[in-house]
C-alpha cells in the first residue's frame, strides 16, 4: 500500500485540493487532507492518476501543452476535460494506475 500527500490531484472527482491518495493493489482512493498519516510520502505540486496502458509520449506532450512555461496548470477545467474526454483517468480494478506529476516535463512517480 502506498500513501501520497499531494497539493492537488486530478482524478474522476475533478480537481481536488490538498489530498491523501491511497493506492492499494489496483484500488485508488482520494480523500481530503485532514491530518498527518503514517507512511505518507509528500509530493508537492499537482498529480494526475491515469491508466498506465493509455499513457505514452503523445499524451505527455498534450498535457505539457496545457501547462505554463513553469509547469503550472493554466486552465484547470480544460485539463480535466481533456483527461475525461480521452478516458485517461484510472478506473479501480482496471489495469494499473499511473501517478503522473504534472510539470514541464511531466514525471512518472514510481509506486511499485
Amino acid at each position: 500500500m502506498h500513501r501520497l500527500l499531494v497539493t492537488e490531484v486530478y482524478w474522476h472527482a475533478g480537481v481536488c485540493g490538498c489530498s491523501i491518495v491511497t493506492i492499494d493493489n489496483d484500488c485508488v482512493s482520494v480523500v481530503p487532507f485532514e491530518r498527518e498519516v503514517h507512511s505518507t510520502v509528500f509530493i508537492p505540486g499537482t498529480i494526475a492518476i491515469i491508466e498506465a496502458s493509455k499513457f505514452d509520449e503523445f499524451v505527455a506532450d498534450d498535457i505539457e501543452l496545457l501547462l505554463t512555461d513553469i509547469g503550472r496548470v493554466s486552465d484547470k477545467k480544460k485539463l480535466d476535460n481533456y483527461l475525461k474526454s480521452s478516458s485517461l483517468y484510472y478506473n479501480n480494478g482496471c489495469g494499473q494506475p499511473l501517478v503522473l506529476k504534472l510539470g514541464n516535463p511531466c514525471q512518472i512517480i514510481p509506486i511499485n
Side-chain angles (χ1 to χ4, degrees), residues 25-71:
N25 294 323
D26 292 337
C27 186
V28 175
S29 66
V30 177
V31 296
F33 174 73
E34 293 177 355
R35 60 181 165 78
E36 283 291 323
V37 182
H38 68 87
S39 307
T40 303
V41 176
F42 177 62
I43 300 183
T46 304
I47 67 165
I49 303 169
I50 61 176
E51 177 68 42
S53 64
K54 295 179 182 177
F55 182 76
D56 59 20
E57 65 186 70
F58 301 110
V59 171
D61 289 343
D62 289 345
I63 291 172
E64 288 170 1
L65 286 173
L66 294 170
L67 304 177
T68 64
D69 291 340
I70 58 173

